[in-house]
Amino acid sequence: MAESKLTLKELSATPHFTRRSAQMAGTLTFAISTAMLGNAYAEEVALDKLVVEDERIAADSNPYAEPGAPYKAKTTSDKRRVREIADTPQTMTVLTKDTIEDSGKTELEDILSAQPGITLGTGEGGNSFGDRYIIRGYEARSDIYTDGLREPGLITRETFALEQIEISKGPSSTFAGRGSTGGAVNTVTKKASMEDDFVNLEGGLGTNAAQRYTVDANRVINSDLGVRFNALYSEADTPDRSPAGERRTGALLSGVYQPSRNTVLSADFYHFRADDRTDPGYAYDRSTGGFNEYDYVGQNGLDFQRSEADIFTFTVEHDFGRGVELQNKTRLGETANEYVVSAYSERFSNNLRSFGGWQENDYLGNQTNLIIDRELFGKRNSIVVGVELAREGVDSGSYTRVDYNSFDLDPYNADNGLWEGRVERNDANAELELKTVSAYLMDTVTLTDQWEVFAGVRYDHFDYSLKAIPRGESEFAEYEYTDGFWNGHLGVVYSPWENGNVYASWSTSSNINGGEADAGTNCGYGGLCNADDGSYTDIKPEESVNLEIGTKWELVDDKLLATAAIFRTTKDNVIEGADYESAGSGNTGKNRVEGIELGLSGKLTDKLNVQAGVAIMDSETLDSYFDGTHAVEGRGGISYPNYIGLPKANFAEKSANVQLSYQATPAFAFGGTATYSSEILGGQPDQGSSGSVKLPSYTVYDLHASYAFDEQLSLSANVQNLTDEQYYTAIYRGGSIVYLGDGRSASLKLAYKF
């Protein structure tokens, strides 16, 4: 007799399925079986056996994780990715809720910087202080998404309301639109549920005056309506760098309503405030290659970094049946980032430098997806047709120190008195409006049991308008232009084995002139560039092409995913610019990054969970205006070398992260994390690095443990940077800012669920 299994997880995917539905299904199965037995004596009937397995996931668990393997994500949250991660022809690193919680890291910046292939950039004179990511050597500070929609602004991002973090590697503009040369990051928020009522309370204390409190509560109003509320209060000093520190408050209110069997409406409102004192770390001494170490030099009452976010998202989903589904998302958001950050600079007459700026962003976006999953021409087709509309507005300006008095104190033993005075916020010196209309078509076709093909194409049309005061001038200039570009994505998956496949993919992306909204007319930092002749409208979008060959294997009864890929990304028509000037050299550059990336996530054994990755990469500048013939004299007397043949700046050739968790008993688990990065060279984005400024390699170890007293009460502990390693995560182009990694810290967290 054949046996087909229908799990409760599969049943729960149907509309209105609840625990009561499960009980009814079981009762109905029993009744039918009894009735059939009554006829068994009359004639022999061959029936498939229906087995109902209780694999229901708790309402507060990650719905995208593999059941029984909390470190392994089975799917992404983006419905446009119509196949499971194991069958998607692209490198993807997905961090589940359990992975994030066990790591003990609460800032998106700290989590991402530990992942292989990702480094950090610094705030500088040409771009804002804030979360700045570099994926596979390419800027990604504007390639951050939340629930599939672009997130506005360069702000601090927290994890208290996150369910999952999805990192796609390589160009994927079919999904993301402009940018995403090295990859893109999508954060997934916790959603309201109509399954269960629960309240999770967590409180934690730690070294460096750390305290953190969160609430996660879900309420089922009725069978069609559920609401969820997440809240955060957190504050802590930066380890060994007090009074540098942070204070965060936040809330996420979400709701889901199902007015009919096939229609679901959901909405959420995200509110966040960060009031920090940022520590820029140490300064690099070019003459010795060492670091000038000094205490935190931020000025009491003057230095600050504040982030704000208020973002509303509304989603409508309707299932027409027969494999046709419509999804529409609308987002309206405002963010702000303002800062005054003091740093000592060996290069500038041994003086204290002050970086100040503010940025306000507003975003209105709408995305509509029609998903058709049905048989066409005898083959299964999973088609996505989409349209995306967006309007982004960015106003930015600076701060000025007034009533300034300097003190002749030893900068290596600062006592918060290096200068005194006050700061004033200036009017905006740049106002940007970017309107985008996009359309895309994607299809995943199952040709045979072994062959599957993915193909996608996207067109983006934009209107760019910038009113700004160029560097060195006092009057506003207005810049306007419009353009459009095509991008494509093609992947082939071959699965001759039951649990494994090999794949090949080709994908492209485009970056527009002035695409980094925080950079204004600072050409060298992603702002709007003027070519030598003063023209900016003739500068074409930068173009990137990625080639990747890889393999993915589901092992240990599908509880472990192993991946490996080799890739090459080539970026052409690179817009080059020196320093903060608005003049550049047009599309004169070309560079390449290639390498291999390995990944492992899930269960190694019944008790051992793993999330691991290794990236080994190489970069090279293939063409540049700065070829020796056109070498120019930079600020501070720096002579730019011939960049051709040089590696990329802000780039680690080798990086790795391994996180393990061992469930020693049903109540007790423990584990640790090791993070490694090879040396990082300083320099300007998308220009070769001469190696005159560099950071050493480092390895950092973390520990975590947890004990569950019962189903409701648990205690967890984390130790970050166990060996108190002194390490550096990012370096300013000239070396005067070297971000210092956090020293050792420890924390305890008590969690109660009811």
Side-chain angles (χ1 to χ4, degrees):
M1 184 186 304
E3 177 175 303
S4 61
K5 293 186 178 182
L6 180 62
T7 67
L8 279 185
K9 182 182 175 185
E10 292 169 326
L11 286 172
S12 64
T14 63
H16 293 288
F17 184 85
T18 63
R19 283 176 294 177
R20 184 166 49 187
S21 302
Q23 295 169 355
M24 293 175 61
T27 303
L28 181 61
T29 302
F30 179 77
I32 293 174
S33 299
T34 304
M36 297 297 290
L37 282 173
N39 296 327
Y41 295 101
E43 59 179 313
E44 183 178 349
V45 180
L47 296 174
D48 284 352
K49 182 180 179 182
L50 176 65
V51 179
V52 179
E53 295 182 345
D54 188 2
E55 292 185 1
R56 187 172 59 88
I57 302 175
D60 59 337
S61 297
N62 180 7
Y64 312 106
E66 182 79 52
Y71 274 24
K72 181 196 173 192
K74 187 178 184 68
T75 64
T76 69
S77 63
D78 191 342
K79 288 191 174 183
R80 295 176 301 174
R81 296 191 179 274
V82 295
R83 295 293 184 265
E84 295 180 359
I85 296 169
D87 298 317
T88 299
Q90 184 176 7
T91 298
M92 302 194 72
T93 301
V94 181
L95 307 176
T96 65
K97 175 184 174 183
D98 291 84
T99 308
I100 297 169
E101 289 182 350
D102 285 350
S103 75
K105 302 181 188 300
T106 59
E107 291 188 34
L108 186 62
E109 180 183 71
D110 293 336
I111 293 171
L112 292 181
S113 64
Q115 300 308 308
I118 301 181
T119 52
L120 298 180
T122 62
E124 308 179 4
N127 60 269
S128 302
F129 280 78
D131 291 3
R132 181 181 170 198
Y133 310 109
I134 298 169
I135 303 178
R136 287 184 173 175
Y138 294 102
E139 281 278 4
R141 67 182 187 265
S142 297
D143 298 326
I144 308 300
Y145 299 78
T146 299
D147 296 328
L149 288 174
R150 191 182 298 272
E151 186 169 291
L154 192 68
I155 58 172
T156 299
R157 296 175 173 90
E158 248 276 359
T159 64
F160 76 98
L162 294 187
E163 198 85 82
Q164 186 161 280
I165 299 172
E166 302 165 352
I167 309 166
S168 57
K169 301 290 184 68
S172 55
S173 283
T174 308
F175 292 92
R178 75 175 193 273
S180 72
T181 303
V185 177
N186 183 46
T187 60
V188 185
T189 58
K190 297 176 180 177
K191 306 296 192 300
S193 170
M194 295 180 291
E195 290 295 320
D196 279 320
D197 292 335
F198 63 82
V199 177
N200 293 332
L201 302 177
E202 295 183 352
L205 299 174
T207 57
N208 309 295
Q211 53 181 313
R212 181 180 176 86
Y213 310 100
T214 63
V215 177
D216 182 4
N218 190 83
R219 176 69 175 174
V220 178
I221 307 301
N222 54 49
S223 61
D224 298 326
L225 178 64
V227 294
R228 189 169 183 174
F229 177 69
N230 284 266
L232 163 76
Y233 177 82
S234 174
E235 63 177 57
D237 293 335
T238 303
D240 303 324
R241 304 292 288 173
S242 176
E246 61 187 40
R247 180 181 291 112
R248 311 299 177 55
T249 58
L252 175 69
L253 178 63
S254 65
V256 59
Y257 174 56
Q258 190 167 357
S260 67
R261 176 186 175 93
N262 298 324
T263 302
V264 177
L265 311 178
S266 59
D268 62 69
F269 177 72
Y270 177 72
H271 170 85
F272 180 75
R273 297 291 185 269
D275 187 4
D276 302 343
R277 299 186 68 182
T278 298
D279 175 30
Y282 296 156
Y284 184 82
D285 190 330
R286 283 175 172 269
S287 61
T288 65
F291 298 91
N292 293 333
E293 301 181 8
Y294 52 89
D295 296 336
Y296 171 69
V297 297
Q299 306 299 286
N300 279 325
L302 296 172
D303 275 47
F304 62 87
Q305 183 175 357
R306 292 189 285 264
S307 287
E308 300 180 358
D310 291 290
I311 303 171
F312 174 76
T313 306
F314 180 69
T315 303
V316 180
E317 297 174 284
H318 182 77
D319 188 348
F320 292 96
R322 298 176 59 85
V324 180
E325 182 178 357
L326 182 67
Q327 180 189 68
N328 180 271
K329 301 178 182 179
T330 300
R331 172 163 296 158
L332 176 64
E334 294 182 349
T335 64
N337 179 31
E338 53 183 348
Y339 56 89
V340 171
V341 177
S342 298
Y344 170 75
S345 175
E346 174 269 337
R347 281 186 55 216
F348 291 89
S349 303
N350 294 336
N351 287 332
L352 192 71
R353 300 183 67 191
S354 179
F355 297 86
W358 63 268
Q359 180 185 119
E360 294 177 348
N361 309 267
D362 62 85
Y363 176 85
L364 176 61
N366 181 272
Q367 181 188 98
T368 301
N369 297 304
L370 178 64
I371 303 171
I372 304 171
D373 192 351
R374 59 194 306 175
E375 186 172 297
L376 297 174
F377 308 108
K379 307 295 181 184
R380 181 192 175 190
N381 285 254
S382 300
I383 302 170
V384 179
V385 182
V387 176
E388 192 165 351
L389 312 174
R391 178 201 169 276
E392 301 170 65
V394 182
D395 293 348
S396 57
S398 62
Y399 279 89
T400 299
R401 293 182 295 178
V402 296
D403 301 331
Y404 170 78
N405 293 305
S406 180
F407 288 78
D408 185 18
L409 298 177
D410 181 357
Y412 297 102
N413 293 286
D415 60 359
N416 296 325
L418 286 176
W419 63 276
E420 65 178 18
R422 59 189 176 87
V423 294
E424 289 185 352
R425 174 168 153 155
N426 300 319
D427 293 335
N429 56 29
E431 299 173 0
L432 170 67
E433 183 178 72
L434 181 61
K435 298 178 181 178
T436 309
V437 178
S438 308
Y440 47 87
L441 172 64
M442 295 178 275
D443 191 10
T444 302
V445 184
T446 304
L447 299 177
T448 68
D449 290 341
Q450 297 182 342
W451 289 94
E452 196 162 67
V453 175
F454 166 78
V457 63
R458 178 175 179 133
Y459 181 75
D460 294 270
H461 182 273
F462 64 89
D463 290 302
Y464 183 99
S465 176
L466 175 66
K467 181 181 177 182
I469 301 177
R471 184 177 181 84
E473 300 182 18
S474 57
E475 299 295 328
F476 277 96
E478 296 187 7
Y479 309 86
E480 293 185 356
Y481 75 103
T482 184
D483 201 355
F485 47 81
W486 290 91
N487 281 290
H489 202 160
L490 180 65
V492 179
V493 180
Y494 177 54
S495 307
W497 311 281
E498 181 179 357
N499 299 315
N501 62 53
V502 293
Y503 68 87
S505 69
W506 166 90
S507 58
T508 71
S509 68
S510 301
N511 298 295
I512 68 173
N513 185 12
E516 301 296 350
D518 64 307
T521 56
N522 295 319
C523 174
Y525 290 84
L528 187 74
C529 278
N530 289 312
D532 288 337
D533 60 0
S535 170
Y536 60 92
T537 57
D538 292 337
I539 296 179
K540 298 181 294 184
E542 300 174 322
E543 298 176 346
S544 301
V545 176
N546 184 70
L547 300 174
E548 181 171 309
I549 299 174
T551 183
K552 297 185 179 184
W553 291 81
E554 292 205 276
L555 309 171
V556 193
D557 293 328
D558 294 341
K559 297 296 189 291
L560 181 68
L561 178 63
T563 65
I566 56 174
F567 64 90
R568 169 180 284 185
T569 302
T570 304
K571 186 175 183 180
D572 206 349
N573 291 329
V574 174
I575 304 170
E576 295 186 286
D579 293 325
Y580 315 129
E581 306 301 326
S582 57
S585 55
N587 303 105
T588 55
K590 184 177 182 179
N591 52 52
R592 181 179 64 213
V593 174
E594 56 190 5
I596 182 171
E597 188 159 347
L598 309 175
L600 196 64
S601 60
K603 276 188 172 295
L604 284 171
T605 69
D606 287 341
K607 295 184 177 182
L608 184 61
N609 292 299
V610 60
Q611 171 69 50
V614 176
I616 302 172
M617 304 183 294
D618 180 72
S619 64
E620 183 180 359
T621 302
L622 303 176
D623 200 2
S624 174
Y625 175 82
F626 304 102
D627 59 0
T629 304
H630 299 92
V632 296
E633 196 72 14
R635 298 176 68 230
I638 304 171
S639 179
Y640 291 95
N642 182 348
Y643 286 120
I644 296 177
L646 295 181
K648 289 179 65 66
N650 307 302
F651 180 81
E653 291 189 346
K654 300 179 181 66
S655 55
N657 179 269
V658 179
Q659 180 174 327
L660 298 170
S661 179
Y662 184 74
Q663 193 72 43
T665 71
F668 178 63
F670 67 95
T673 304
T675 302
Y676 168 79
S677 173
S678 62
E679 69 177 16
I680 297 174
L681 304 179
Q684 195 161 296
D686 263 339
Q687 284 185 357
S689 175
S690 65
S692 59
V693 178
K694 68 175 65 175
L695 300 178
S697 62
Y698 65 85
T699 304
V700 175
Y701 301 97
D702 305 327
L703 294 178
H704 68 266
S706 63
Y707 184 82
F709 297 97
D710 52 38
E711 292 184 356
Q712 294 179 297
L713 184 65
S714 63
L715 181 68
S716 59
N718 287 89
V719 178
Q720 305 288 336
N721 194 358
L722 177 67
T723 61
D724 203 20
E725 171 87 355
Q726 182 169 295
Y727 68 103
Y728 310 94
T729 60
I731 188 167
Y732 176 64
R733 172 183 58 84
S736 56
I737 298 177
V738 179
Y739 281 4
L740 180 64
D742 285 347
R744 181 169 49 224
S745 64
S747 62
L748 283 173
K749 180 179 70 177
L750 190 66
Y752 185 73
K753 177 179 179 179
F754 59 93

Short mmCIF file of all heavy atoms in Angstrom, two decimals, residues 28-39:
data_model
loop_
_atom_site.label_atom_id
_atom_site.label_comp_id
_atom_site.label_asym_id
_atom_site.label_seq_id
_atom_site.Cartn_x
_atom_site.Cartn_y
_atom_site.Cartn_z
N LEU A 28 -12.36 13.58 11.38
CA LEU A 28 -12.90 13.22 10.08
C LEU A 28 -12.18 12.00 9.51
O LEU A 28 -12.80 11.09 8.95
CB LEU A 28 -12.79 14.41 9.12
CG LEU A 28 -13.35 14.18 7.71
CD1 LEU A 28 -14.83 13.87 7.78
CD2 LEU A 28 -13.10 15.42 6.85
N THR A 29 -10.85 11.99 9.66
CA THR A 29 -10.07 10.85 9.18
C THR A 29 -10.51 9.56 9.86
O THR A 29 -10.69 8.51 9.23
CB THR A 29 -8.58 11.10 9.42
OG1 THR A 29 -8.20 12.29 8.76
CG2 THR A 29 -7.74 9.95 8.90
N PHE A 30 -10.70 9.66 11.18
CA PHE A 30 -11.13 8.47 11.93
C PHE A 30 -12.51 8.00 11.49
O PHE A 30 -12.76 6.80 11.31
CB PHE A 30 -11.12 8.79 13.43
CG PHE A 30 -11.58 7.64 14.29
CD1 PHE A 30 -10.73 6.58 14.57
CD2 PHE A 30 -12.87 7.63 14.82
CE1 PHE A 30 -11.15 5.52 15.35
CE2 PHE A 30 -13.29 6.57 15.61
CZ PHE A 30 -12.44 5.52 15.88
N ALA A 31 -13.43 8.96 11.28
CA ALA A 31 -14.79 8.60 10.89
C ALA A 31 -14.82 7.93 9.52
O ALA A 31 -15.52 6.93 9.30
CB ALA A 31 -15.68 9.84 10.88
N ILE A 32 -14.07 8.49 8.59
CA ILE A 32 -14.03 7.91 7.25
C ILE A 32 -13.43 6.52 7.29
O ILE A 32 -13.93 5.58 6.65
CB ILE A 32 -13.23 8.82 6.30
CG1 ILE A 32 -14.00 10.14 6.10
CG2 ILE A 32 -12.99 8.14 4.96
CD1 ILE A 32 -13.20 11.16 5.29
N SER A 33 -12.36 6.37 8.08
CA SER A 33 -11.71 5.06 8.17
C SER A 33 -12.67 4.02 8.74
O SER A 33 -12.73 2.88 8.29
CB SER A 33 -10.46 5.16 9.05
OG SER A 33 -9.55 6.06 8.48
N THR A 34 -13.43 4.43 9.77
CA THR A 34 -14.39 3.50 10.38
C THR A 34 -15.46 3.08 9.39
O THR A 34 -15.84 1.92 9.30
CB THR A 34 -15.03 4.16 11.61
OG1 THR A 34 -14.00 4.57 12.51
CG2 THR A 34 -15.98 3.20 12.32
N ALA A 35 -15.96 4.07 8.65
CA ALA A 35 -16.99 3.76 7.65
C ALA A 35 -16.46 2.81 6.58
O ALA A 35 -17.15 1.90 6.13
CB ALA A 35 -17.50 5.05 7.01
N MET A 36 -15.23 3.02 6.18
CA MET A 36 -14.65 2.19 5.14
C MET A 36 -14.45 0.77 5.65
O MET A 36 -14.59 -0.20 4.90
CB MET A 36 -13.32 2.77 4.67
CG MET A 36 -13.45 4.16 4.03
SD MET A 36 -14.44 4.15 2.53
CE MET A 36 -13.33 3.28 1.44
N LEU A 37 -14.11 0.64 6.95
CA LEU A 37 -13.90 -0.69 7.51
C LEU A 37 -15.19 -1.51 7.46
O LEU A 37 -15.18 -2.73 7.34
CB LEU A 37 -13.40 -0.59 8.95
CG LEU A 37 -11.92 -0.25 9.11
CD1 LEU A 37 -11.59 0.00 10.57
CD2 LEU A 37 -11.07 -1.40 8.56
N GLY A 38 -16.32 -0.77 7.55
CA GLY A 38 -17.60 -1.48 7.50
C GLY A 38 -17.81 -2.17 6.17
O GLY A 38 -18.53 -3.17 6.08
N ASN A 39 -17.22 -1.68 5.12
CA ASN A 39 -17.37 -2.27 3.79
C ASN A 39 -16.22 -3.21 3.43
O ASN A 39 -16.21 -3.79 2.36
CB ASN A 39 -17.46 -1.17 2.73
CG ASN A 39 -18.71 -0.33 2.92
OD1 ASN A 39 -19.72 -0.84 3.34
ND2 ASN A 39 -18.59 0.96 2.59
#
